[in-house]
Amino acid sequence: DVQLVESGGGSVQAGGSLRLSCVGSGFTYSSFYMAWFRQAPGKEREGVAAIDTAGSATYTYAAQGRFTISRDNAKNTLYLQMNDLRVEDTGVYYCAADAVNLQLARWYSYWGQGTQVTVS
């Protein structure tokens, strides 16, 4: 079975940093396209950043310049380095995986359980 397990969330003051991780198993990690999404209370889930199998990244306007998505295929791990965090970055962050290059579309086949990020 495909599993995605996020970690690294927490509470941080505005201007601080966090690094999220997502470990994948049950699929050929290096062949899958990966992404980070987030969902704030009362809002729809939205894309944050995506990375293709070659390591090329796509960011939303809100994430550009502050967040960095990366992947370590040897460790089956996806990362999201978040700097200069803002209150509006608060939400549950999910990693997602798919065999198709969906970039920031929401139709990923596989999702993690999410990790809470709270910025105050």
Side-chain angles (χ1 to χ4, degrees):
D1 290 351
V2 172
Q3 282 195 322
L4 298 169
V5 181
E6 301 99 334
S7 62
S11 296
V12 64
Q13 290 189 337
S17 299
L18 283 173
R19 188 175 83 153
L20 306 183
S21 299
C22 171
V23 178
S25 61
F27 61 103
T28 306
Y29 183 86
S30 60
S31 299
F32 272 59
Y33 300 85
M34 307 293 295
W36 286 100
F37 288 76
R38 68 186 181 190
Q39 188 165 19
K43 294 188 177 181
E44 291 189 352
R45 192 173 299 187
E46 63 177 4
V48 175
I51 189 166
D52 68 13
T53 55
S56 294
T58 301
Y59 298 94
T60 59
Y61 178 79
Q64 185 75 45
R66 298 188 299 128
F67 295 1
T68 302
I69 188 172
S70 61
R71 63 190 298 164
D72 184 338
N73 291 336
K75 296 182 178 179
N76 284 11
T77 303
L78 178 72
Y79 301 101
L80 184 68
Q81 176 67 44
M82 304 187 293
N83 298 328
D84 189 24
L85 282 161
R86 304 167 181 169
V87 172
E88 54 264 37
D89 294 319
T90 294
V92 179
Y93 283 68
Y94 300 89
C95 71
D98 204 286
V100 176
N101 189 6
L102 296 173
Q103 295 196 336
L104 294 170
R106 288 183 285 179
W107 309 310
Y108 279 77
S109 297
Y110 305 106
W111 295 84
Q113 83 289 349
T115 186
Q116 177 70 44
V117 171
T118 302
V119 185
S120 60

